[in-house]
Structure formats: C-alpha cells, structure tokens
Amino acid sequence: MGFWHNVQYECDYKGISRKELAAAASFSVHTISNGLKRDGMPAADIALRISQVLEVPLEKLLKPYELKDFVRIDRTVIEEKKSLFNKYYPLIQRLESLPPDATKAIYTIVDKL
C-alpha cells in the first residue's frame, strides 16, 4: 500500500473523515481521492501536515504497512478479559445447568440490581 492508503487506514482507525483531515491539514478533499486513485505521493508540505494532523510519524505513512500494523492489540485488555472469563465461567456453567424458569428468575433479579 502507498502513502494515501496508509493515510486512509489511519483516518479509519482514528475515526477521522477525509473532509476533517483535509480541513485540518489545509488541502482539498479531492487531493485524497486523487491520491488513492493514482497511488501517488503528495507534495512534501502536504505529507508533513497530514502526519502532524494524524499524529503519526511521516516515515510510517511513507512505508508499506505490514500485517502486524493492522492488528492493534492491547495485551492488558486481553489479560483483563481472560481474567474475567476465568472468574465468571464456573458461574455461567451453573446457570446453564438450571431449568429455564430458574435462569429467567435469576436474570430478572440481576436486572433489578
């Protein structure tokens, strides 16, 4: 992927529209569309402004992304989720073994809390 595809990826990741990026970096929205179509490079000043707006090093936008760049995982979050799963899984198993009426009653009680 080229520069503009990397820019599009960063915009998608950060929830920034093309219009917002263009306004913040002071260039035309069509510049992005044309760049994506042509897979070309922008002028140096535009590239620098884009990297500043996206808060991404210019070098990162210039180099091809690798697969690992697309998978942004916070290991702490994974460990927290795993810990919660391990903590509550035995309870879920016991709930699953109850008759449907009892399960419904427990859900009702929990909802009221």
Side-chain angles (χ1 to χ4, degrees):
M1 286 197 304
F3 177 86
W4 288 108
H5 287 92
N6 294 344
V7 168
Q8 184 63 52
Y9 168 75
E10 287 296 330
C11 285
D12 292 345
Y13 179 75
K14 294 183 178 192
I16 298 172
S17 71
R18 290 180 182 181
K19 188 176 182 178
E20 292 168 329
L21 174 64
S26 302
F27 65 89
S28 166
V29 176
H30 299 290
T31 302
I32 298 174
S33 299
N34 289 337
L36 285 166
K37 285 178 195 171
R38 297 181 182 139
D39 198 26
M41 286 294 298
D45 63 321
I46 292 176
L48 184 59
R49 289 193 311 246
I50 290 170
S51 74
Q52 290 169 342
V53 169
L54 293 175
E55 298 176 339
V56 172
L58 182 56
E59 296 79 23
K60 186 173 182 181
L61 295 175
L62 293 171
K63 72 174 186 144
Y65 274 95
E66 297 175 15
L67 182 58
K68 65 181 169 83
D69 294 323
F70 288 96
V71 182
R72 298 185 183 207
I73 299 174
D74 183 344
R75 299 288 178 202
T76 307
V77 172
I78 291 173
E79 290 303 317
E80 288 172 1
K81 300 290 183 191
K82 191 182 340 179
S83 175
L84 283 172
F85 175 80
N86 290 335
K87 180 178 179 180
Y88 292 110
Y89 186 67
L91 177 63
I92 293 168
Q93 284 181 314
R94 291 196 323 231
L95 279 172
E96 291 292 320
S97 68
L98 294 173
D101 291 342
T103 305
K104 185 176 179 181
I106 291 171
Y107 288 147
T108 302
I109 292 168
V110 170
D111 282 341
K112 297 282 182 189
L113 298 174

